[in-house]
Amino acid sequence: MNGYQSGSNGLHNIIPIEMNANFFFDRAVKSLDRYQYDKALKYFRKAVEYEPDNPVNHCNMAGILSETGDYEGSNDVLQHILDKVDSSMTECYFYMANNYANMELFEEAEKALVTYLEEDSSGQFMDEAEELMELLHYELNRPAKVNRIKSREGMVEHERARELLEEGKFAQAVKLLEEIVGDYPDFLAARNNLALAYYYMGRFAKAKQTIEEVLEQEPGNLHGLCNLAIFFQHEGNNDQRNRLVEMLVVTVPFHQEHVFKLATTMGILGKHEAAYSHFRRLLKDEEFSSDPSLYHYTAVAACNSGQYESAANYWRHAKKLDPGSVIPDFYLAQLQHRKKTGTMVMKVSYHYHLPFEEQFKRWEHDGEVMTEEVKHNPLIRSSFFWALRHGDPHIKLQVIRTLELIADDEVQHALQSFLQEPGEDADLKDAARLVLQQLESKRSRTQDREAGVKGKEVLPDWHPTWQEVVDKASQTMDKRSDHFWKRELETLWSEFLSKLYPDIPNIRNTSGWAAALEYMTAKMRGRAYTYEEVALRYGISSSTVRRYARQIDQVCGNKDQSDDNFRPFTENI
């Protein structure tokens, strides 16, 4: 019997073959799998005949010609694509550069490669292009003249913006990232970082909107999804947060950068076991295995998951890698204390620095060390700005006073933004206003010196009696005032002497001047001391305190917190 049963005309069971571009494309691919290049080329030519406007078929044909050694024919096809089919197929320039190089036409290869680098926005063949560039440099004995690399436009600026973020300079980072996103709307990494910068500044609605813009362009963007989950948690939107967490917790990224992002996000969201698993993956990579902070993160994730012995091991390893750090020792001591006292739960922050309370204890007697650490350690600096937004009230007060010692534009912006928060404590806002006033006063004195106005720098050697006033005040204030008050007192005394120079009075009554300085500094801090209270502590009359305080006030301006000096700040609220 025949292989099929015919009907009345013997043809009704025959399946017709549709001769189209897809048919010939499939034939070409099968021929390539069998290394039958001649057949593959023939089939690709037929596919081009059926779909002459499809650049992919043309590219495939050019690829076969290149494989068979017909580099000139391949370039003819590639040039035809650019001229007649699709001028946006910038990868054709890269293919042409390779063909020219194989023909040892290195000048032409360089020209095509430079065009690729300057016109291609995707950067699909960047690694290969760099290798070819090195070859051409060697063959031509000179570097290629590339005016720009389009696929990397904004990369340098973006790296600078990332540095600003890590340093806690959020306002500057926002300004730069907004410019990058404006110039390169598809630069999703910059848009993600812009969202984070908004978030750190407390501009939560803007942060969320920016992340939504990322996910509109790329719904599976891992950084965007992680950030959005954190934003949902901040809003208290538990339903949306939980749906995202369910998806993220089963995600296993391939790239190490994504692993780190997911690990830190899981930690922030309280999924410490998932965070622990991802951090351990990172430690297996030689690139990360020497980073003490990563061992700290892994230890924290283990500790917060109840795996205290593992946490101790990771902190010991962090100590070996960073022997000068007090952080591993602090947490190892905490673990030991927990073991002795039988404390059941120990929750730890992922930040690679001591808790704020512990930091302030260490800095209490050494303000210079604190100033240097806060200024130059980007992790501590950024965490201070974060604590100003999210810390407990007593932590916020300590942070506000500490920020005065940093005294830069970022601090001023952070404190001004803090004043605009409607729910913040009034006393904390008063403290922030006072610090802003001090910063403005210091800036004015600096401008005066630059303009030639006499200041501290033109004073003669510091006179012993001037120092005696400061010492007397410090000793008397010792049990009632902190390090920051004393610094303000010294600043006020220096300002007073600088503005009077060279007509500085003869400082005979050390106690009187010291008492007046304490009184004026207290007013700057919003403390309602009376002349009688201060006079009693220094063993002098209240009229003496009043007389010297009036002299300081006349020279340095009214330091009362109801003073007009606060208007530039409150007008912005």
Side-chain angles (χ1 to χ4, degrees):
M1 192 172 230
N2 292 332
Y4 66 92
Q5 186 172 355
S6 65
S8 58
N9 58 8
L11 297 174
H12 70 277
N13 283 337
I14 296 176
I15 300 173
I17 296 175
E18 185 177 356
M19 308 288 282
N20 56 22
N22 289 334
F23 170 80
F24 289 110
F25 177 86
D26 290 338
R27 287 284 192 277
V29 171
K30 290 177 182 177
S31 298
L32 279 177
D33 290 340
R34 301 186 184 100
Y35 302 102
Q36 297 173 340
Y37 294 113
D38 289 342
K39 281 189 175 182
L41 180 60
K42 181 178 70 174
Y43 288 130
F44 275 131
R45 289 188 191 278
K46 292 296 291 182
V48 166
E49 287 179 13
Y50 276 90
E51 290 184 354
D53 295 329
N54 186 340
V56 175
N57 291 326
H58 289 274
C59 275
N60 288 327
M61 189 166 66
I64 295 293
L65 290 170
S66 184
E67 285 290 333
T68 59
D70 187 358
Y71 304 118
E72 190 172 352
S74 176
N75 276 355
D76 288 340
V77 174
L78 294 168
Q79 192 62 56
H80 174 78
I81 295 172
L82 292 167
D83 293 341
K84 304 292 185 182
V85 183
D86 187 352
S87 60
S88 69
M89 292 279 288
T90 49
E91 60 265 42
C92 290
Y93 292 110
F94 174 72
Y95 301 141
M96 292 170 71
N98 278 278
N99 285 335
Y100 282 128
N102 284 320
M103 289 188 285
E104 299 188 359
L105 298 174
F106 301 116
E107 295 275 0
E108 295 298 321
E110 180 188 55
K111 182 179 178 182
L113 187 60
V114 167
T115 304
Y116 168 74
L117 293 172
E118 293 183 347
E119 298 298 329
D120 183 79
S121 59
S122 70
Q124 181 181 356
F125 299 108
M126 273 304 305
D127 292 339
E128 296 87 345
E130 287 176 354
E131 291 179 6
L132 182 55
M133 189 68 77
E134 290 180 9
L135 171 66
L136 297 177
H137 187 176
Y138 174 79
E139 294 291 347
L140 297 172
N141 198 28
R142 58 171 172 75
K145 295 179 180 179
V146 183
N147 294 321
R148 63 170 184 166
I149 298 180
K150 188 171 184 178
S151 64
R152 290 185 176 172
E153 284 183 332
M155 294 295 288
V156 174
E157 294 85 352
H158 181 241
E159 189 60 32
R160 175 57 185 150
R162 285 184 59 190
E163 291 173 2
L164 290 170
L165 273 178
E166 291 171 359
E167 293 168 6
K169 299 178 179 178
F170 306 125
Q172 295 178 48
V174 163
K175 182 178 179 182
L176 184 53
L177 288 165
E178 284 177 339
E179 291 175 359
I180 295 170
V181 168
D183 292 337
Y184 313 108
D186 298 332
F187 199 160
L188 297 186
R191 203 176 287 271
N192 265 320
N193 282 327
L194 177 58
L196 286 178
Y198 286 141
Y199 181 64
Y200 292 141
M201 293 178 69
R203 299 169 64 181
F204 303 119
K206 192 70 174 173
K208 188 177 175 184
Q209 176 190 335
T210 306
I211 284 301
E212 289 171 349
E213 290 168 358
V214 170
L215 295 174
E216 282 177 11
Q217 294 190 50
E218 189 180 304
N221 186 284
L222 184 63
H223 281 267
L225 292 170
C226 287
N227 292 338
L228 188 60
I230 294 169
F231 296 169
F232 283 144
Q233 176 164 288
H234 174 84
E235 290 177 341
N237 189 338
N238 292 327
D239 290 340
Q240 294 276 29
R241 170 198 175 276
N242 293 339
R243 274 195 287 271
L244 258 182
V245 168
E246 286 176 8
M247 179 179 69
L248 291 172
V249 92
V250 297
T251 301
V252 183
F254 176 75
H255 296 293
Q256 300 294 61
E257 180 189 352
H258 290 165
V259 177
F260 185 79
K261 177 66 176 181
L262 189 57
T264 54
T265 301
M266 290 294 100
I268 293 170
L269 297 175
K271 298 296 181 180
H272 302 295
E273 291 183 2
Y276 182 46
S277 173
H278 293 306
F279 282 130
R280 290 180 67 194
R281 277 185 64 195
L282 288 171
L283 287 177
K284 295 176 183 178
D285 191 317
E286 291 183 2
E287 183 180 348
F288 296 92
S289 60
S290 60
D291 184 354
S293 62
L294 183 57
Y295 280 92
H296 169 74
Y297 304 145
T298 313
V300 172
C303 182
N304 290 343
S305 301
Q307 303 180 54
Y308 299 113
E309 288 301 320
S310 296
N313 288 332
Y314 286 117
W315 269 314
R316 290 188 193 102
H317 206 110
K319 183 178 178 180
K320 290 179 183 178
L321 293 172
D322 192 5
S325 173
V326 298
I327 298 170
D329 283 332
F330 173 80
Y331 287 110
L332 286 168
Q334 292 290 304
L335 282 176
Q336 190 66 26
H337 176 73
R338 174 198 162 274
K339 191 173 183 180
K340 285 182 180 179
T341 59
T343 306
M344 296 303 295
V345 178
M346 178 177 165
K347 293 297 181 183
V348 182
S349 166
Y350 281 88
H351 289 296
Y352 188 52
H353 55 65
L354 296 176
F356 279 108
E357 293 86 347
E358 195 65 27
Q359 287 178 351
F360 285 118
K361 285 179 186 177
R362 289 178 60 235
W363 294 334
E364 190 174 11
H365 301 295
D366 198 343
E368 290 185 8
V369 170
M370 174 186 64
T371 304
E372 290 305 307
E373 287 190 8
V374 177
K375 276 187 175 181
H376 301 298
N377 187 322
L379 287 174
I380 294 178
R381 182 185 174 92
S382 61
S383 67
F384 266 59
F385 288 115
W386 180 260
L388 183 62
R389 288 284 183 183
H390 308 288
D392 295 330
H394 73 284
I395 289 294
K396 288 183 177 181
L397 181 59
Q398 288 177 304
V399 168
I400 288 168
R401 293 178 175 177
T402 303
L403 291 177
E404 180 182 349
L405 302 178
I406 306 175
D408 59 18
D409 292 340
E410 199 73 26
V411 166
Q412 183 169 352
H413 185 278
L415 292 175
Q416 287 173 335
S417 297
F418 179 78
L419 290 177
Q420 297 176 30
E421 289 297 316
E424 289 294 350
D425 181 82
D427 290 338
L428 291 176
K429 287 191 173 184
D430 286 342
R433 289 190 185 97
L434 183 59
V435 172
L436 283 168
Q437 182 191 29
Q438 294 298 311
L439 296 183
E440 186 63 30
S441 177
K442 290 175 183 177
R443 182 176 285 107
S444 297
R445 292 198 299 274
T446 300
Q447 291 171 349
D448 286 345
R449 287 195 296 269
E450 290 173 351
V453 179
K454 290 180 179 179
K456 184 176 179 180
E457 283 70 11
V458 299
L459 284 170
D461 292 338
W462 194 258
H463 198 280
T465 58
W466 302 345
Q467 188 61 42
E468 286 172 13
V469 172
V470 173
D471 293 341
K472 178 68 175 176
S474 296
Q475 291 164 10
T476 309
M477 295 169 67
D478 191 55
K479 295 180 180 179
R480 294 180 307 284
S481 304
D482 59 25
H483 170 81
F484 306 101
W485 282 44
K486 294 172 185 176
R487 287 286 295 271
E488 287 179 21
L489 184 145
E490 293 173 7
T491 300
L492 178 59
W493 186 232
S494 176
E495 179 185 355
F496 173 72
L497 296 174
S498 299
K499 289 188 174 181
L500 279 179
Y501 178 80
D503 301 317
I504 296 174
N506 193 358
I507 307 297
R508 291 193 181 94
N509 192 339
T510 302
S511 295
W513 285 109
L517 278 174
E518 181 178 348
Y519 175 83
M520 293 300 297
T521 305
K523 288 193 73 174
M524 291 164 60
R525 281 289 182 187
R527 293 284 293 273
Y529 286 165
T530 65
Y531 292 123
E532 288 75 15
E533 283 181 86
V534 179
L536 184 63
R537 285 198 290 272
Y538 286 85
I540 58 177
S541 68
S542 60
S543 61
T544 300
V545 180
R546 182 183 292 107
R547 184 172 72 254
Y548 289 134
R550 187 177 294 127
Q551 289 186 52
I552 295 173
D553 188 39
Q554 288 172 348
V555 172
C556 297
N558 189 352
K559 295 295 181 181
D560 193 335
Q561 66 177 355
S562 62
D563 176 354
D564 284 348
N565 286 328
F566 288 109
R567 290 184 183 174
F569 308 119
T570 55
E571 283 176 359
N572 293 328
I573 294 176

